[in-house]
Amino acid sequence: DDMKKVKLNDYCSFQEHLNVEKYTKDYLDEKLEPDGKKLPKPERSEGYYDYVLHGLLIHTGSADAGHYYSYIKEREKNGNDKPRWLEFNDVIVKPFDPATIPQKCYGGTQITTQLTSTGRKISRKVPRAANAYLLFYERVYREKSSSDVPRTPSHKVKPKSNTSDTTNNKSQPISKVSSKMSPSDKKSFTMAPKIMETVFNS
């Protein structure tokens, strides 16, 4: 009511492995229609609906100020059994333990100990100011794209013959070619070498 911006630090968990099949058109089409007709479900490869968590963007602070940093999972193994997770925080890059994701990314509250003015320790429950802002999932199954398929030439280029008549391969003088053009085309044709020379020499 007082028109103030507030960051919500409520507890919100998420999964490392995500299956989105029941949120797809394939799943909805498979359900019974009002007339009782069931639409056929298309055949999909294994892992088509499965996604794996690969990155987290974290925000710490309030709605008016704060800081962003990231946790990112390597795509390839680095001599370990599993790809590493890394923390990217400005110029600092260091290993990150994904087992601590619930404590560092879910939000919620935590218990902290503070000292009073008399030196007495008291425990307080405070919001976790650092929590996940964006999640990045990567699909387990990847369809082959045109870049994955090796290109094959659609036709063979015929080699030049050394026995051909060289007189037929000589280019015609500009004067002969331009004489067959209209005045507007002739102007464009004669200006082309000057334009190309300007472009390549600039």
Side-chain angles (χ1 to χ4, degrees):
D1 296 338
D2 52 6
M3 302 299 291
K4 289 184 179 180
K5 293 184 294 182
V6 178
K7 178 189 174 185
L8 300 178
N9 295 308
D10 297 348
Y11 181 86
C12 180
S13 62
F14 45 86
Q15 300 176 353
E16 180 181 359
H17 299 274
L18 191 64
N19 184 284
V20 299
E21 181 177 5
K22 64 180 181 180
Y23 306 106
T24 62
K25 184 177 182 296
D26 293 347
Y27 179 83
L28 297 176
D29 287 344
E30 191 184 15
K31 288 188 174 182
L32 292 176
E33 297 294 323
D35 57 358
K37 183 179 179 181
K38 190 175 182 180
L39 298 177
K41 182 179 178 180
E43 293 184 2
R44 302 296 187 185
S45 301
E46 184 178 357
Y48 184 85
Y49 304 103
D50 296 327
Y51 290 78
V52 178
L53 184 68
H54 268 263
L56 298 130
L57 177 62
I58 309 300
H59 178 266
T60 179
S62 64
D64 297 312
H67 178 65
Y68 292 94
Y69 54 96
S70 300
Y71 300 133
I72 301 176
K73 183 181 180 181
E74 288 183 317
R75 291 184 179 273
E76 298 179 358
K77 297 180 181 179
N78 190 18
N80 303 318
D81 295 336
K82 296 181 180 180
R84 298 181 304 171
W85 278 82
L86 299 172
E87 177 182 340
F88 292 81
N89 194 339
D90 290 340
V91 297
I92 300 174
V93 179
K94 60 183 181 180
F96 170 70
D97 184 4
T100 62
I101 286 180
Q103 293 79 28
K104 296 185 176 181
C105 305
Y106 285 180
T109 58
Q110 61 183 350
I111 304 298
T112 62
T113 303
Q114 297 178 343
L115 290 175
T116 64
S117 57
T118 59
R120 186 169 61 92
K121 292 182 179 180
I122 59 172
S123 297
R124 294 182 56 190
K125 183 182 290 187
V126 297
R128 294 183 187 270
N131 39 59
Y133 182 72
L134 284 176
L135 308 178
F136 297 87
Y137 285 85
E138 185 174 75
R139 196 179 197 178
V140 174
Y141 168 77
R142 294 182 61 189
E143 294 182 351
K144 287 186 177 181
S145 62
S146 58
S147 60
D148 298 329
V149 180
R151 295 183 179 180
T152 56
S154 56
H155 63 280
K156 294 183 179 180
V157 179
K158 294 182 179 180
K160 294 182 179 180
S161 175
N162 295 329
T163 59
S164 60
D165 186 4
T166 55
T167 57
N168 295 332
N169 296 331
K170 291 182 180 180
S171 58
Q172 300 182 35
I174 294 178
S175 58
K176 292 184 178 180
V177 175
S178 59
S179 61
K180 302 176 182 179
M181 297 181 177
S182 63
S184 59
D185 291 339
K186 186 184 299 183
K187 182 178 180 181
S188 301
F189 182 83
T190 54
M191 287 296 295
K194 297 180 181 179
I195 296 174
M196 295 301 294
E197 182 180 1
T198 304
V199 171
F200 284 105
N201 293 335
S202 60

